[in-house]
Amino acid sequence: MTQLLAAREGRITPEMVEVARQEGVDPEFIRAGVAAGTIVIPKNRLRKGVRTCAIGRGLRTKVNALIGTSSDRDDPEMEARKIEVAISAGADAIMDLSTGGDIDGMRRVSLERSTVPVGSVPIYQAGIEAIEKRGGIVAMTPEDMFEAIEKQAAAGIDFMAIHCALNFEVVERLQKTGRVTDIVSRGGAFLTGWMLHNRQENPLYEDFDRVLDILRKYDVTLSLGDAIRPGCIADSLDGSQIQGLLVAGELVARARERGVQVMVEGPGHVPIHHVETTMLLQKQLCHQAPYFVLGTLAIDVAPGYDHITAAIGGALAGASGADFICYVTPAEHLGLPTEEDVRVGVMAARIAAHAADIAKGVKGAWEWDLKMARARASLDREAVASLAIDPALVRCYLEKEKEELCSACGDACALRLVAEYFQQ
Amino acid sequence: MTQLLAAREGRITPEMVEVARQEGVDPEFIRAGVAAGTIVIPKNRLRKGVRTCAIGRGLRTKVNALIGTSSDRDDPEMEARKIEVAISAGADAIMDLSTGGDIDGMRRVSLERSTVPVGSVPIYQAGIEAIEKRGGIVAMTPEDMFEAIEKQAAAGIDFMAIHCALNFEVVERLQKTGRVTDIVSRGGAFLTGWMLHNRQENPLYEDFDRVLDILRKYDVTLSLGDAIRPGCIADSLDGSQIQGLLVAGELVARARERGVQVMVEGPGHVPIHHVETTMLLQKQLCHQAPYFVLGTLAIDVAPGYDHITAAIGGALAGASGADFICYVTPAEHLGLPTEEDVRVGVMAARIAAHAADIAKGVKGAWEWDLKMARARASLDREAVASLAIDPALVRCYLEKEKEELCSACGDACALRLVAEYFQQ
């Protein structure tokens, strides 16, 4: 039985109790949200020893980090260290996107090392193995796709990005509408190439019930992959994006019907005046399913700083209803992230998520900043450090100073002056 | 004659022609904006060889960088290097906030080295010199304050933050309302301490006409200092902030009446759901004067990452009407910025400003990103690097790669796959 089926029967599972405790809400609030499909708890039935979290309406905005090997860099130990860096920086979940070397072995490492939910994108493995076994991605068989999903579910993966909401309606809309960057989703590109080459509908759409049956068996949460997300702000809110949302909405209803927990993946590159509309449309068309955004990136022109463009977009997206933010590192659009990139990417996404949580009125969010403000007003350096989103970084700064919390103003510190004069 | 008086007489000055050319607008658009007070051109009549810019409605959002010595770190050569770093990173203006060592000497260096407008806060020098000459900031005389303004104007400073909009109405409102962090503005703290200690109204408010006469003589643009800006999100949009805006609105009208160009400085710490209201209120209460925001910082809890919290706030503030964004560096709340902090701070503020400009529909903003998107779609690495906000950083990444624009996906590059399959 999945969390969704249990919730619908009125049962409060141990996972619901645990996430309710984390969020400081009533377990019944979680149960009702899971039953309604506005909250998901990504936890594979087979997985043990994981710090479960819940994603969705009324809850703290969560942050996801990406790791994984590629053909250019196949170093599982480095990826394992990135997992540890991401989790210690505060990531709520990680996704293993490996496409290089021993993909099964890397996944075992990810599941062993991660204390938080682990996601994957099974079509990557299916596509890469089709190149090796059959000479090309387009030679992949539908069985290859389903087998990859089943294998990864059986291994314990908690949530999967699967591009079921890509079909010929979407591809044709894309061809009719035209775009600057066509398709930037890797899984979307694998499948679109496959569909066009084989003149065959996407098996993950056509045989969606088979996908659902596998996921239900393990209670893997489905993340409907955003195959046609805009890859530049000029493509934002175009016809193909909306067509994709219409199909996603259809599949959200079918997943829930079959007892499978489901969230929806979203953009991508979104100018800030499009963010609110993008979030509202997703929530309306996808029946209030949790929204998992990749960024969103506010501008296209800042490669090397995309953790910042994504913090701008992510904060706004979260404030407008996004529930789960995928981090973007400084290496985005340029290469694979280093361990330091992973740390900075998680911090930037957490900053965006917290800014959103304050706007959303999430429990405890405002109070955190209030404590920090009081620590600053009383010039309490230890409290400032321990309340900071990155205490180690603040301590590192403070060690360089002698006695003061901050050395910027020297004798002309406004806080000290006010304490001296104003409060007489 | 100031730019404002010239504009009001219908004259288009060489500076108006120059900034119109930069912005790609008609010089008459600039003249009309300057005449109406919605645009300022911060350029001291005595200053030569500076790349003038205009700040205000309908124009590109500008970015300001702060430099300056303090009693803890008095190294004019380092500050001079920071000016060069800030300008080469794309700052539109700098402010010299020196409070340590030879303040006059540092200002000469700033004016010599800066090719962009230079701002200052004269009350810093008046206050610091009062400590040396008279034993304390509260012993500063009104003459000290006016002399500092006159001296700095005569030296060629282009715009000045002066805390004229602080009076007993504001201080009493602050005392009645209560606050978590009282006053975090250094100039505001100097003057509040002075007022309370001497039981005397702020001379810069009481004798505002004298301030205006000095500024008009040199055509220094007045930036009404935000003495009571919120220093934490809990203090945002409180009674004292609004009281300060009411006084600022009164002074904006008087400055314009006297032919002095004026903009208004704003927060500070603002949660993202307060940004739009903050910007609207300022524009309404201050007669559409250009708004110069310090951040705004979306959250309080991320010291060490405040360039990111400020990029979130600045993007939103700009999109809601702010015209001029003061950078915030990673060292904010912790210490004085290094040269690298200055570079990163300018980049983060430029990212925020550009995200805002896309939302505002500023001429050329959208087109920049469109060119970048086309460069990416055609995998043109040289075009991507030269279009990037920081071309040197992108080239540094690309040198590490062999032939590809990006190494993240290896053989599974979505753009290449799409080029291969989709466009058949």
Side-chain angles (χ1 to χ4, degrees):
Chain A
M1 179 167 290
T2 64
Q3 297 288 335
L4 173 54
L5 292 170
R8 244 190 241 146
E9 287 187 1
R11 284 181 42 211
I12 291 176
T13 64
E15 289 80 7
M16 294 175 201
V17 172
E18 165 59 14
V19 300
R21 194 194 53 71
Q22 289 167 16
E23 304 272 348
V25 300
D26 195 86
E28 172 55 23
F29 176 83
I30 301 290
R31 189 209 58 77
V34 173
T38 59
I39 293 175
V40 295
I41 301 177
K43 181 174 176 298
N44 187 306
R45 186 200 312 283
L46 303 178
R47 198 139 131 74
K48 308 284 178 219
V50 59
R51 190 177 77 218
T52 317
C53 73
I55 297 163
R57 186 186 283 174
L59 306 180
R60 186 172 60 77
T61 305
K62 304 301 185 297
V63 164
N64 181 64
L66 308 175
I67 63 101
T69 60
S70 79
S71 58
D72 283 5
R73 193 165 69 193
D74 173 23
D75 180 350
E77 248 325 299
M78 179 193 245
E79 301 309 312
R81 287 196 304 274
K82 284 187 197 168
I83 293 173
E84 279 156 22
V85 168
I87 294 172
S88 74
D92 298 290
I94 63 144
M95 288 181 84
D96 177 346
L97 306 188
S98 293
T99 55
D102 176 9
I103 298 176
D104 292 332
M106 182 67 232
R107 183 167 50 251
R108 277 192 298 276
V109 171
S110 295
L111 287 162
E112 269 167 36
R113 300 284 184 99
S114 173
T115 55
V116 298
V118 176
S120 71
V121 190
I123 197 73
Y124 291 177
Q125 184 168 21
I128 297 298
E129 289 181 357
I131 296 174
E132 293 157 10
K133 288 190 300 189
R134 309 189 198 274
I137 287 172
V138 295
M140 174 168 54
T141 68
E143 279 310 305
D144 292 340
M145 303 183 198
F146 293 109
E147 278 168 16
I149 296 170
E150 175 89 41
K151 176 163 75 171
Q152 299 195 6
I157 290 291
D158 298 298
F159 62 106
M160 286 184 191
I162 310 183
H163 302 81
C164 306
L166 176 71
N167 64 13
F168 272 118
E169 284 179 301
V170 177
V171 173
E172 283 162 13
R173 176 64 51 200
L174 202 159
Q175 290 175 308
K176 278 182 203 163
T177 310
R179 258 193 171 180
V180 181
T181 54
D182 289 329
I183 294 182
V184 296
S185 154
R186 203 160 26 167
F190 281 20
L191 283 164
T192 305
W194 189 94
M195 289 161 68
L196 291 171
H197 182 89
N198 296 295
R199 295 166 203 260
Q200 201 179 325
E201 187 51 282
N202 174 9
L204 303 171
Y205 173 77
E206 205 167 44
D207 211 354
F208 185 54
D209 285 342
R210 185 166 168 194
V211 174
L212 293 177
D213 288 343
I214 302 169
L215 301 183
R216 185 173 56 184
K217 188 165 146 198
Y218 299 94
D219 199 3
V220 173
T221 297
L222 172 59
S223 177
L224 279 172
D226 190 3
I228 40 78
R229 65 173 177 272
C232 63
I233 62 171
D235 291 338
S236 170
L237 287 180
D238 74 345
S240 32
Q241 183 185 350
I242 305 301
Q243 187 80 57
L245 269 183
L246 296 174
V247 179
E250 167 195 327
L251 301 188
V252 164
R254 286 176 59 190
R256 286 182 183 165
E257 174 95 14
R258 227 167 171 91
V260 172
Q261 300 192 87
V262 59
M263 58 186 164
V264 178
E265 203 181 272
H269 295 244
V270 187
I272 58 183
H273 61 301
H274 286 197
V275 170
E276 200 176 334
T277 300
T278 302
M279 299 303 130
L280 178 62
L281 269 180
Q282 183 276 347
K283 290 275 172 168
Q284 283 300 109
L285 295 174
C286 298
H287 319 295
Q288 315 300 324
Y291 204 10
F292 178 23
V293 294
L294 313 178
T296 60
L297 287 74
I299 61 174
D300 300 340
V301 297
Y305 299 93
D306 276 326
H307 59 307
I308 297 178
T309 71
I312 294 170
L316 256 178
S320 306
D323 306 284
F324 193 22
I325 293 177
C326 188
Y327 86 168
V328 171
T329 79
E332 184 74 19
H333 295 111
L334 296 168
L336 283 168
T338 62
E339 289 159 60
E340 176 60 13
D341 288 333
V342 167
R343 199 185 63 74
V344 171
V346 171
M347 286 296 170
R350 285 184 65 204
I351 287 166
H354 181 60
D357 286 347
I358 286 169
K360 277 179 184 170
V362 167
K363 202 167 172 182
W366 185 266
E367 291 72 15
W368 181 12
D369 294 63
L370 187 57
K371 280 182 202 158
M372 174 61 91
R374 288 188 175 134
R376 280 191 173 134
S378 57
L379 299 172
D380 180 345
R381 48 190 274 152
E382 182 42 41
V384 165
S386 60
L387 285 164
I389 202 163
D390 189 349
L393 181 69
V394 174
R395 292 201 173 96
C396 174
Y397 269 99
L398 293 183
E399 271 167 26
K400 290 184 223 151
E401 316 300 334
K402 290 172 301 271
E403 290 174 19
E404 302 304 333
L405 178 59
C406 161
S407 65
C409 301
D411 294 333
C413 169
L415 289 170
R416 194 147 14 86
L417 282 169
V418 168
E420 202 173 317
Y421 298 124
F422 183 63
Q423 293 171 344
Q424 285 175 339
Chain B
M1 179 168 291
T2 64
Q3 297 287 337
L4 174 52
L5 291 170
R8 242 190 242 147
E9 287 188 0
R11 283 181 42 211
I12 292 176
T13 64
E15 289 80 7
M16 294 176 201
V17 172
E18 165 60 15
V19 299
R21 193 194 53 73
Q22 287 166 17
E23 304 273 347
V25 300
D26 194 86
E28 172 54 24
F29 177 83
I30 301 290
R31 188 208 60 77
V34 173
T38 59
I39 292 175
V40 295
I41 300 177
K43 181 173 175 299
N44 187 306
R45 186 200 312 281
L46 302 178
R47 198 138 129 76
K48 307 286 177 216
V50 60
R51 192 178 75 218
T52 316
C53 73
I55 297 163
R57 184 186 283 175
L59 306 180
R60 187 173 59 78
T61 306
K62 305 301 184 299
V63 164
N64 181 64
L66 307 175
I67 63 100
T69 60
S70 81
S71 58
D72 283 6
R73 194 167 68 195
D74 173 23
D75 180 350
E77 248 326 298
M78 179 193 246
E79 301 310 312
R81 286 196 305 273
K82 285 187 195 168
I83 293 173
E84 279 155 23
V85 167
I87 294 172
S88 74
D92 298 291
I94 63 144
M95 288 181 83
D96 177 346
L97 306 188
S98 293
T99 55
D102 177 9
I103 297 176
D104 292 332
M106 182 67 232
R107 183 167 50 251
R108 277 191 298 274
V109 171
S110 294
L111 287 163
E112 267 167 36
R113 300 284 185 100
S114 173
T115 53
V116 297
V118 176
S120 71
V121 191
I123 197 72
Y124 290 176
Q125 183 168 22
I128 297 299
E129 290 181 355
I131 296 174
E132 292 158 10
K133 288 190 299 189
R134 308 189 199 276
I137 287 171
V138 294
M140 177 168 53
T141 67
E143 279 310 305
D144 291 340
M145 303 184 199
F146 292 109
E147 278 168 16
I149 295 170
E150 175 91 39
K151 177 163 74 171
Q152 299 194 5
I157 289 291
D158 298 298
F159 63 106
M160 287 184 190
I162 310 183
H163 302 80
C164 306
L166 176 72
N167 65 13
F168 272 117
E169 283 180 301
V170 177
V171 173
E172 282 161 14
R173 176 63 52 201
L174 200 159
Q175 289 174 311
K176 279 183 201 163
T177 311
R179 258 194 172 182
V180 181
T181 53
D182 289 330
I183 293 182
V184 296
S185 154
R186 201 157 33 163
F190 281 18
L191 283 165
T192 306
W194 189 94
M195 289 161 68
L196 291 171
H197 181 89
N198 296 296
R199 297 166 202 260
Q200 200 180 325
E201 187 51 281
N202 174 9
L204 303 171
Y205 172 77
E206 206 166 43
D207 212 353
F208 185 56
D209 285 341
R210 186 166 168 194
V211 174
L212 293 176
D213 288 343
I214 301 169
L215 301 184
R216 186 174 54 184
K217 188 165 145 198
Y218 300 93
D219 199 3
V220 173
T221 297
L222 172 60
S223 177
L224 279 172
D226 191 3
I228 40 78
R229 65 173 177 270
C232 64
I233 61 171
D235 291 338
S236 170
L237 286 179
D238 74 344
S240 31
Q241 183 185 352
I242 306 301
Q243 188 78 58
L245 269 183
L246 296 175
V247 179
E250 166 194 328
L251 301 189
V252 164
R254 285 177 58 191
R256 285 181 183 166
E257 173 96 15
R258 227 168 171 91
V260 171
Q261 300 192 85
V262 60
M263 58 185 165
V264 178
E265 201 182 272
H269 295 244
V270 186
I272 58 183
H273 61 301
H274 286 197
V275 171
E276 200 176 334
T277 301
T278 302
M279 299 303 131
L280 179 62
L281 269 180
Q282 183 276 346
K283 290 275 175 167
Q284 283 301 109
L285 295 174
C286 298
H287 320 295
Q288 316 300 325
Y291 204 9
F292 179 23
V293 295
L294 313 177
T296 61
L297 286 74
I299 61 173
D300 300 338
V301 297
Y305 299 93
D306 277 326
H307 59 308
I308 298 177
T309 71
I312 294 170
L316 257 177
S320 306
D323 306 284
F324 194 23
I325 293 177
C326 188
Y327 87 169
V328 171
T329 79
E332 184 74 19
H333 295 111
L334 295 168
L336 282 168
T338 63
E339 289 159 61
E340 176 59 12
D341 287 333
V342 167
R343 199 185 63 73
V344 171
V346 171
M347 286 296 170
R350 285 184 64 204
I351 287 166
H354 180 60
D357 285 346
I358 286 168
K360 279 179 184 170
V362 167
K363 201 167 174 184
W366 185 265
E367 290 71 17
W368 181 11
D369 294 63
L370 188 57
K371 280 182 203 157
M372 174 62 90
R374 289 190 173 133
R376 281 190 173 134
S378 57
L379 300 171
D380 180 344
R381 47 190 275 152
E382 182 42 41
V384 165
S386 60
L387 285 164
I389 202 164
D390 189 349
L393 181 69
V394 174
R395 292 203 172 94
C396 174
Y397 269 98
L398 293 183
E399 272 167 26
K400 291 185 223 150
E401 316 299 332
K402 289 172 301 272
E403 290 174 20
E404 302 304 332
L405 179 57
C406 161
S407 65
C409 300
D411 294 333
C413 169
L415 289 170
R416 196 149 8 87
L417 281 168
V418 169
E420 202 173 318
Y421 298 124
F422 182 64
Q423 294 171 342
Q424 285 174 336

